[in-house]
Amino acid sequence: MEKVIEMKGVTKVFPGIIANDNVDFDLNKGEIHVLLGENGAGKTTLMNILYGLYQQESGDIFVNGKKANMKNPKEAIALGIGMVHQHFMLVHNFTVAQNMILGYEPKVGIKVDIKKAIKDTEELSKRYGFNIDPKAVIEDMTVGQQQKVEILKALYRGADILILDEPTAVLTPQEIEELRKILRNLVKEGKSIILITHKLKEVMSMSDRVTIIRRGKKIDVVNTKDTTIDSLAEMMVGRKVNLVVDKKESKAGETVLKIENLKVLDNRGLPAVKGVDLEIKRGEIIALAGVDGNGQTEFIEAVTGLRKSQEGKITLNGKDVTGKTPREITEGGLSHVAEDRHRRGLVLKYSLLENSVLGNHYKSPFAKGIIMNYNKIREYAKKLIKDYDVRTPNEDVMASALSGGNQQKMIIAREIEKNPEVILAAQPTRGIDVGAIEYIHKRLVEERDKGRGILLVSLELDEVLALADKIAVIYDGKIVDVLDRKDATEQKLGILMAGGNLKKEDKGGAQNEE
């Protein structure tokens, strides 16, 4: 079989850490090859070397049988390699066509030929079945559509080899299925694809081969058809992983968070949350399930004080906190695991030391007046890193230097250790690996069993079904139904999430409860 990429003995060292340790990797023409590993295993680093963003300390790279030494992405692009990063590199107030041609502008004289850009984008979009409007502005598009633009951008630059970093991290189940079809179409057109991921379900449905990396070393290469989810999880983490959440029946106590007739506007001043009622009791996990863009973000922001509500009442621990500031709500007993860890969860340019006390930084023992007690903060940061298995050389490392999963573990650690009455966990496992997911799920169930109320907002149906005691489905800014977990199935939730209704006989015990 013809190899389009061969990486032999690649080693990359960062201060205090060997990111890639003598790694071999190859890609056959016309295959989808998954690079699988935990967060921080070295997957993205290896692909950043292939794309010319980093240079290796040792090892050789061959593209189409010829030795290559990519000093920058432009050289990689010239060799037919394109990369779609986990966090998209698009200019938000530009159109699709303008983003497509950035750096490769077609000209008429000295002017940019925007008509040609629109025509080329349209043709490329049609050819690969992407259904993208070249004149649409990026900020008005869904995340799934933005990802398609990134893929088109790489194809526009002539990529035959596509690297996709965590392509399904922010997609809905429907968009994931659409992406799978797109990738298969690309392979039929003769493209070769590398997926960096840790989502085992998608590995099984999308790939031909899998290379497993653990802590910088290559562990194995397997054919997807010859392996199982459990086997991949074990190779990836280095131990047996319990993919089923072990939890007892919940013992629901008093109501600790009550939301009544909540109405919230979005950034354009249009109704996003349209009269939501929801109660969270002590000792239970309520999941808010729905396709992205149905008012979840505005709902979370209103409950946490980040956005003013137009109408309604929020009662936390018996006190009315409607319209209060985020600090007042936090002090009232609500911890918030933000859905966007980069915008809301961490200050990326701060160290883990500083991030570990955000929200508590003005309190004793971390501060006295305006004087910070860095010895106490260091002690606390070290404890969180150890207790929550945050993989980092030390607590002085910048938050931006950590992998997504380790950033997430740091946020979960900080929010749980605030000792809250209610934990609002929004997308708590977005973009992280099975080992970290298993750990975070276990912690959330433990917190439930300690009598905290937990509101889980998740796009992952597997996660909702694994953790929730009750599931509230949100569609078009309204809660369309609340199901008991024992009555919920993926199919029923899928119908509700698409705006459909369940027949009475389908609703099981939930019908009697409503």
Side-chain angles (χ1 to χ4, degrees), residues 124-126 128-133 141 145 148 152 178:
L124 206 57
S125 175
K126 276 200 185 115
Y128 293 107
F130 276 45
N131 194 19
I132 291 281
D133 175 8
M141 300 174 91
Q145 288 171 323
K148 287 181 194 169
L152 274 180
E178 215 177 315

Side-chain angles (χ1 to χ4, degrees), residues 138-150:
I138 297 296
E139 62 192 357
D140 297 333
M141 300 174 91
T142 66
V143 177
Q145 288 171 323
Q146 288 181 24
Q147 187 180 59
K148 287 181 194 169
V149 176
E150 281 282 27

Side-chain angles (χ1 to χ4, degrees), residues 348-506:
L348 292 174
K349 290 180 179 169
Y350 281 13
S351 66
L352 295 184
L353 180 82
E354 293 157 317
N355 273 287
S356 72
V357 292
L358 285 182
N360 278 336
H361 56 280
Y362 55 93
K363 293 181 184 167
S364 172
F366 308 124
K368 196 173 182 180
I370 59 164
I371 309 297
M372 305 295 283
N373 184 341
Y374 276 95
N375 288 338
K376 287 287 182 200
I377 296 173
R378 187 172 296 281
E379 210 176 284
Y380 184 70
K382 280 182 171 171
K383 181 182 183 299
L384 294 194
I385 288 164
K386 181 172 176 286
D387 290 355
Y388 288 78
D389 188 32
V390 181
R391 308 267 172 89
T392 174
N394 57 56
E395 67 279 7
D396 293 310
V397 167
M398 291 289 167
S400 57
L402 259 58
S403 67
N406 285 308
Q407 289 175 349
Q408 194 69 9
K409 283 200 261 188
M410 194 69 213
I411 295 167
I412 297 266
R414 183 187 69 214
E415 296 306 315
I416 287 178
E417 292 300 318
K418 284 178 182 170
N419 206 14
E421 304 291 337
V422 178
I423 298 169
L424 196 167
Q427 316 295 354
T429 59
R430 173 179 271 176
I432 65 175
D433 62 65
V434 279
I437 288 170
E438 178 197 38
Y439 182 80
I440 286 168
H441 283 177
K442 192 175 92 186
R443 289 305 300 226
L444 288 173
V445 171
E446 276 173 21
E447 296 311 306
R448 174 200 82 158
D449 294 344
K450 286 177 189 168
R452 302 195 207 287
I454 295 178
L455 175 54
L456 169 74
V457 183
S458 180
L459 302 174
E460 301 281 351
L461 275 189
D462 291 351
E463 178 163 77
V464 165
L465 290 164
L467 287 181
D469 300 308
K470 285 194 184 130
I471 302 164
V473 180
I474 190 167
Y475 173 76
D476 192 27
K478 298 186 190 88
I479 288 184
V480 289
D481 214 334
V482 180
L483 299 180
D484 253 341
R485 167 60 188 94
K486 62 180 182 294
D487 302 319
T489 63
E490 207 162 307
Q491 188 196 7
K492 284 184 193 177
L493 292 175
I495 291 167
L496 292 167
M497 283 161 70
N501 292 313
L502 296 181
K503 297 191 205 89
K504 283 189 183 181
E505 60 270 26
D506 283 342

Side-chain angles (χ1 to χ4, degrees), residues 68-190:
N69 184 20
M70 271 75 76
K71 292 189 181 68
N72 55 54
K74 211 151 191 173
E75 290 184 17
I77 291 165
L79 288 169
I81 300 170
M83 186 164 181
V84 176
H85 299 270
Q86 187 176 354
H87 301 287
F88 305 146
M89 309 279 183
L90 297 168
V91 181
H92 275 225
N93 54 351
F94 275 22
T95 64
V96 171
Q98 286 168 325
N99 270 281
M100 290 286 283
I101 60 171
L102 269 183
Y104 294 81
E105 295 86 353
K107 296 273 176 71
V108 177
I110 57 164
K111 279 187 174 174
V112 172
D113 188 350
I114 201 70
K115 277 187 183 162
K116 183 176 176 2
I118 290 168
K119 186 166 168 283
D120 290 351
T121 304
E122 215 157 29
E123 280 172 8
L124 206 57
S125 175
K126 276 200 185 115
R127 180 176 165 187
Y128 293 107
F130 276 45
N131 194 19
I132 291 281
D133 175 8
K135 294 174 185 168
V137 178
I138 297 296
E139 62 192 357
D140 297 333
M141 300 174 91
T142 66
V143 177
Q145 288 171 323
Q146 288 181 24
Q147 187 180 59
K148 287 181 194 169
V149 176
E150 281 282 27
I151 296 171
L152 274 180
K153 210 168 86 177
L155 296 171
Y156 180 79
R157 285 155 175 66
D160 287 317
I161 296 154
L162 270 177
I163 306 164
L164 275 68
D165 189 358
E166 297 294 357
T168 62
V170 290
L171 302 187
T172 65
Q174 293 88 332
E175 286 170 334
I176 289 168
E177 181 51 31
E178 215 177 315
L179 177 69
R180 191 182 68 77
K181 287 178 185 159
I182 283 168
L183 297 185
R184 285 290 164 206
N185 280 344
L186 290 172
V187 164
K188 275 187 205 146
E189 289 266 347

